[in-house]
Amino acid sequence: MNQKLLKLENLLRFHTICRQLHSLSQRRLLAWWKRGLSPAHPLRAEQLCVRPWPTDALVGAALCQQRLLVTNKEKRPLRSQSSPINPKRDVEVWVGMTVEELARAMAKDIDYIYEALLNTAFDMDSLEANSHLDEVWIKEVIKKAGMKLRWSKLKQEKVRENKNAVRRPQADPALLTPRFPVVTIMGHVDHGKTTLLDKLRKTQVAAMEVGGITQHIGAFLVSLPSGEKITFLDTPGHAAFSAMRARGAQVTDIVVLVVAADDGVMKQTVESIQHAQEAQVPIVLAINKCDKADADPEKVKKELLAYDVVCEDYGGDVQAVHVSALTGDNLTALAEATVALSEMLELKADPTGPVEGTVIESFTDKGRGPVTTAIIQRGTLRKGSILVAGRSWAKVRLMFDENGRTLNEAYPSMPVGIVGWRDLPSAGDEILEVESEPRAREVVDWRKIEQKEEKDRDDLKVMEEQRKEHQEAHRKAREKYGSLHWKKRSYIKYLERKEQRPLKPKEKAEKDSNVLPIIIKGDVDGSVEAILNLLDTYDASHECELELVHFGLGDISENDVNFAETFDGIIYGFNVGAGKAIQQSAAQKGVKIKLHKIIYHLIEDLQEELSSRLPHRLEEYPIGEACILATFSVTEGKRKVPVAGCRVQKGQLEKQKKFKLIRNGQVIWKGSLTSLKHHKDDVSVIKTGMDCGLILDEEKVEFKVGDEVVCYEENEIPAKTSWDPGF
């Protein structure tokens, strides 16, 4: 900068000298003019005037400004000559980032990443935009780009305020009041649970149950002659309803275990005992059907010893009552035993404050919408209360008992039907009362977000496991191809891609025929839960894949038919209906609708449908057997054909049927005959005890004396699925 200033000053100095010379020449001309001397050339008047120099002010100002700039720059601190002008840029990276993510973090295009990895040991054939990079390759790319690497730390998510609704702390014992017990009747199917309950409340529940099987949890309040009240829960005894029995045990105070005196301890009896023991609920044993001739109550008590159910007769604390639900014998004693046990338990509850309870069952009613059956455990439920259960909430519009009578209030231990839910909660959900509708929405939104975040975490975990599996498979593939020449490697990869070709229409049709899409519709939440639990036991996907397309509550709708048409599936309905218009629409679209009222009939139907999609298996039925006594050959044209001389020992040989040749117990040939002769005559049938000569359709097979020839026919037998749901 100083050199430039010096040049500018020299230029101005030169300019000043030129101006002085110009002024001097002008003065000389003026002097000559005054002396009367004319120059060699005449001058115009304007030439005699000294012209002003217009650039003087401009040049001076420029010179001043330039000096000022130089002075200011000289005052600034000079940068170190060793520091770079453009420092290395930090790139934030993380483990498992993709090629596209790395390019975005570096502000480069994807091609740059490809070029950086081009001359490395990285397998470029498998490199895609969404390929995950290992740590070593991320470092390699950053190093080649001349950038600095910074590993990303997991950001601490801002802790959201917990807006969930929870149960209240335990109440002051002084505020507690006595309540009547909640008793669950459990046991094996058809051991008389519902009939026993029917006698206790003098209704005809058993007559209304399809096939005498309870399909749902029934909650009833029974008033005994003594004035005591008991809430009874009647749980299904069928194997499919294990989850519903467990739910019944969780909300109960006492379990009445019903065991038939003629059948003894069965599978569902054991499950009921386990549910009661896990919930730490005391048991009262009701030995039913004692009026039968083959009843053996003592045998039942002895069998129960193996499951830690020790009756009072054997030194235990379990009361055993011999009853007959059919005749009503000794039911009063059973009720008294239950009341006595509840008095020993000193059952109490807090009837004040917000309501707490449990959803026993939920279903959709056409006129009322979502409806739940619940047991109130704390507080008093009234019309207009705001409730939250699971991810749904309700403003109570209507309450009713098991007989459909409207209730104004529901106290602890009372079963109650609740109408007013915005969405259908699930059976087993906890019911909590909140102060307002906005608070209910806030709780539901918070729970939905929590569920979504939990699902995202599970999905991320699955994705991470899949990524590791993919990396491991990729590593093994690299080891597999690492020592091969590139031509050989390319050829092997071509063969692998050829095996993964798209299926032809015929192959696709065969594959689709081995898949059974189904839609499940049920009347209540517990029934659908039981069916889905049974479907979870399906273990025959190698035979036919079972695909659950959709499930839900309520009658079959047009939407279900459209689903079934799209996926070429079948609709199974349990205790639901399908209107005439729906059935006509389904028939037009070729959709099957199968309705059932008993769960194991539905499962049997599903088993038959799965079996119908399996290929038929061939079974061989022997028709006749013969033993080879001699071997020889005959000449046909220019070739010699081996002939087996046989004698029929069993049944008959028919030329049109199939044959097999057995040697030392091993089948060495299967096929047909080209000739069957008796002496010199061609025959079609050779019967027992007759000799014959036969020629096979394969000349290379050699006969040996003592070989066995079996004539048989093949019949197609429908296959049966190997899936066993457990009943």
Side-chain angles (χ1 to χ4, degrees):
M1 187 62 66
N2 292 333
Q3 292 179 354
K4 292 182 179 180
L5 183 60
L6 182 60
K7 288 181 180 180
L8 182 58
E9 289 178 345
N10 291 336
L11 181 61
L12 293 175
R13 193 177 292 113
F14 175 73
H15 163 68
T16 304
I17 294 172
C18 290
R19 187 173 59 178
Q20 291 174 353
L21 290 174
H22 178 71
S23 300
L24 181 60
S25 63
Q26 289 292 338
R27 285 196 296 272
R28 285 181 179 178
L29 286 175
L30 185 59
W32 289 342
W33 178 262
K34 290 180 179 180
R35 294 173 187 174
L37 297 176
S38 64
H41 300 285
L43 294 175
R44 293 190 298 271
E46 61 269 16
Q47 289 179 313
L48 298 177
C49 299
V50 180
R51 294 181 181 178
W53 197 271
T55 59
D56 289 348
L58 181 63
V59 172
L63 181 59
C64 181
Q65 186 68 25
Q66 186 68 23
R67 286 181 176 177
L68 180 62
L69 289 173
V70 171
T71 304
N72 291 339
K73 287 196 174 185
E74 286 176 350
K75 289 180 181 178
R76 295 178 184 174
L78 295 176
R79 292 184 180 179
S80 175
Q81 296 294 327
S82 60
S83 62
I85 297 175
N86 295 321
K88 288 185 178 181
R89 181 186 164 204
D90 286 352
V91 179
E92 187 176 14
V93 298
W94 57 90
V95 176
M97 68 188 311
T98 63
V99 173
E100 186 176 6
E101 291 170 343
L102 180 58
R104 193 183 306 117
M106 296 175 63
K108 303 281 187 182
D109 56 12
I110 294 178
D111 292 338
Y112 183 89
I113 310 298
Y114 291 164
E115 292 173 3
L117 296 173
L118 189 60
N119 294 321
T120 63
F122 193 88
D123 185 7
M124 300 299 294
D125 294 338
S126 64
L127 190 62
E128 301 290 344
N130 58 353
S131 298
H132 293 275
L133 296 174
D134 293 335
E135 181 179 342
V136 62
W137 302 120
I138 295 174
K139 290 181 178 179
E140 182 71 18
V141 173
I142 299 296
K143 181 180 178 182
K144 288 189 176 182
M147 298 180 179
K148 289 177 66 177
L149 178 143
R150 186 176 78 255
W151 290 105
S152 172
K153 294 182 179 179
L154 293 176
K155 296 181 180 179
Q156 295 293 330
E157 294 184 0
K158 184 178 179 181
V159 178
R160 294 186 296 107
E161 181 184 357
N162 189 336
K163 297 182 180 180
N164 195 11
V166 294
R167 285 181 178 265
R168 291 179 286 153
Q170 291 292 332
D172 185 355
L175 300 176
L176 301 180
T177 59
R179 64 174 177 86
F180 43 85
V182 178
V183 179
T184 299
I185 296 185
M186 305 176 75
H188 190 72
V189 63
D190 199 31
H191 275 199
K193 302 183 304 297
T194 308
T195 307
L196 186 150
L197 187 60
D198 171 50
K199 284 293 183 181
L200 286 171
R201 67 186 186 120
K202 297 180 181 179
T203 57
Q204 294 298 318
V205 177
M208 293 185 291
E209 298 288 357
V210 180
I213 299 174
T214 301
Q215 307 287 338
H216 318 123
I217 290 181
F220 312 99
L221 181 62
V222 176
S223 297
L224 302 178
S226 61
E228 299 287 343
K229 291 184 178 181
I230 301 176
T231 294
F232 281 103
L233 301 183
D234 181 19
T235 62
H238 197 271
F241 295 93
S242 177
M244 296 177 71
R245 282 196 299 277
R247 189 157 58 245
Q250 293 295 331
V251 297
T252 192
D253 302 312
I254 300 171
V255 167
V256 173
L257 181 65
V258 179
V259 185
D262 55 342
D263 278 351
V265 177
M266 305 295 284
K267 182 178 179 181
Q268 277 75 60
T269 309
V270 177
E271 286 185 7
S272 300
I273 294 171
Q274 292 172 348
H275 293 321
Q277 291 173 343
E278 289 172 2
Q280 297 181 353
V281 177
I283 295 175
V284 173
L285 177 62
I287 303 177
N288 194 22
K289 302 184 181 181
C290 289
D291 55 322
K292 286 193 172 184
D294 56 348
D296 190 354
E298 294 302 320
K299 177 186 174 184
V300 172
K301 295 177 184 178
K302 291 178 182 178
E303 289 178 348
L304 289 173
L305 292 174
Y307 305 100
D308 296 330
V309 178
V310 184
C311 298
E312 292 177 338
D313 297 349
Y314 293 91
D317 56 357
V318 176
Q319 301 179 74
V321 184
H322 300 184
V323 300
S324 172
L326 190 62
T327 62
D329 292 343
N330 225 16
L331 292 187
T332 304
L334 177 62
E336 291 174 352
T338 305
V339 171
L341 182 57
S342 67
E343 290 176 353
M344 292 176 59
L345 296 174
E346 296 183 352
L347 302 174
K348 293 183 178 182
D350 178 13
T352 63
V355 171
E356 297 176 6
T358 302
V359 177
I360 298 298
E361 195 48 87
S362 60
F363 58 94
T364 300
D365 186 88
K366 282 185 178 180
R368 296 172 172 175
V371 181
T372 62
T373 301
I375 294 291
I376 305 302
Q377 296 167 312
R378 188 176 181 182
T380 301
L381 182 64
R382 296 179 176 88
K383 185 178 179 181
S385 298
I386 309 299
L387 305 179
V388 173
R391 292 177 298 280
S392 59
W393 67 278
K395 182 176 182 180
V396 179
R397 292 191 288 108
L398 177 67
M399 297 186 298
F400 56 91
D401 62 11
E402 69 276 6
N403 297 315
R405 292 189 297 251
T406 303
L407 298 175
N408 295 322
E409 293 181 337
Y411 301 99
S413 297
M414 282 186 64
V416 59
I418 302 173
V419 178
W421 295 96
R422 299 304 190 267
D423 298 301
L424 194 66
S426 298
D429 283 347
E430 181 183 63
I431 295 177
L432 298 174
E433 183 179 359
V434 295
E435 57 272 16
S436 63
E437 293 186 20
R439 172 61 179 148
R441 294 190 186 95
E442 184 180 61
V443 172
V444 170
D445 291 342
W446 193 90
R447 291 179 177 181
K448 288 180 179 178
I449 293 174
E450 282 289 297
Q451 183 193 30
K452 182 179 181 301
E453 290 180 352
E454 184 178 358
K455 182 178 181 300
D456 291 342
R457 287 192 293 268
D458 293 340
D459 292 344
L460 187 62
K461 185 178 179 181
V462 172
M463 290 170 60
E464 185 65 21
E465 291 176 354
Q466 290 178 347
R467 185 182 69 82
K468 289 180 180 179
E469 291 176 0
H470 175 74
Q471 287 181 342
E472 182 65 19
H474 176 64
R475 185 187 63 79
K476 291 181 179 179
R478 286 181 59 189
E479 292 177 354
K480 176 182 176 182
Y481 301 131
S483 59
L484 298 177
H485 188 266
W486 68 270
K487 290 184 177 179
K488 182 70 173 176
R489 183 167 64 247
S490 299
Y491 177 68
I492 293 175
K493 289 185 177 181
Y494 164 74
L495 294 179
E496 290 176 351
R497 286 194 299 270
K498 189 176 180 182
E499 291 178 358
Q500 298 174 355
R501 71 188 189 284
L503 295 176
K504 295 179 180 178
K506 184 178 179 182
E507 294 173 335
K508 189 174 184 302
E510 292 177 356
K511 183 179 179 181
D512 292 343
S513 66
N514 207 34
V515 178
L516 177 58
I518 61 172
I519 294 172
I520 301 295
K521 294 298 290 287
D523 56 342
V524 296
D525 188 68
S527 299
V528 175
E529 178 189 14
I531 295 171
L532 296 184
N533 288 341
L534 282 174
L535 297 182
D536 286 341
T537 67
Y538 185 71
D539 55 359
S541 296
H542 58 286
E543 299 172 348
C544 180
E545 186 177 348
L546 185 62
E547 185 178 281
L548 180 63
V549 175
H550 173 68
F551 64 89
L553 303 181
D555 290 341
I556 295 169
S557 64
E558 186 66 30
N559 190 39
D560 299 325
V561 175
N562 293 335
F563 261 123
E565 181 189 21
T566 302
F567 292 94
D568 192 22
I570 299 175
I571 302 174
Y572 283 93
F574 180 73
N575 274 337
V576 296
K580 223 175 236 185
I582 297 298
Q583 292 182 359
Q584 291 175 356
S585 174
Q588 292 174 358
K589 296 176 180 179
V591 173
K592 293 182 183 178
I593 297 178
K594 299 190 175 185
L595 305 177
H596 295 277
K597 292 185 178 295
I598 299 178
I599 192 168
Y600 56 76
H601 288 173
L602 185 149
I603 298 302
E604 288 173 356
D605 192 321
L606 181 57
Q607 286 178 301
E608 292 177 3
E609 190 65 37
L610 288 165
S611 300
S612 68
R613 294 184 175 238
L614 302 181
H616 288 61
R617 54 189 179 88
L618 298 176
E619 285 194 358
E620 298 179 357
Y621 289 89
I623 298 174
E625 297 177 3
C627 182
I628 298 179
L629 303 178
T631 61
F632 51 93
S633 59
V634 296
T635 302
E636 292 184 356
K638 295 182 178 180
R639 59 192 180 89
K640 289 187 177 182
V641 180
V643 179
C646 305
R647 177 172 295 163
V648 180
Q649 297 176 331
K650 186 178 179 181
Q652 61 186 25
L653 305 185
E654 300 180 16
K655 183 180 179 182
Q656 302 302 323
K657 302 295 183 180
K658 294 186 176 182
F659 289 79
K660 57 184 177 183
L661 183 63
I662 299 175
R663 179 177 300 157
N664 298 327
Q666 300 292 327
V667 178
I668 61 175
W669 169 84
K670 278 186 175 184
S672 304
L673 302 181
T674 58
S675 177
L676 179 63
K677 292 190 175 185
H678 178 61
H679 300 304
K680 294 184 179 181
D681 300 328
D682 289 326
V683 293
S684 58
V685 177
I686 297 291
K687 296 184 178 181
T688 303
M690 297 177 62
D691 295 335
C692 65
L694 53 86
I695 300 175
L696 309 182
D697 60 358
E698 187 176 345
E699 298 179 5
K700 295 181 180 179
V701 178
E702 295 182 359
F703 298 112
K704 287 187 178 180
V705 175
D707 289 350
E708 185 180 359
V709 177
V710 177
C711 174
Y712 67 94
E713 64 179 359
E714 290 181 338
N715 292 334
E716 287 189 349
I717 304 298
K720 188 175 181 180
T721 180
S722 61
W723 174 40
D724 181 13
F727 59 86

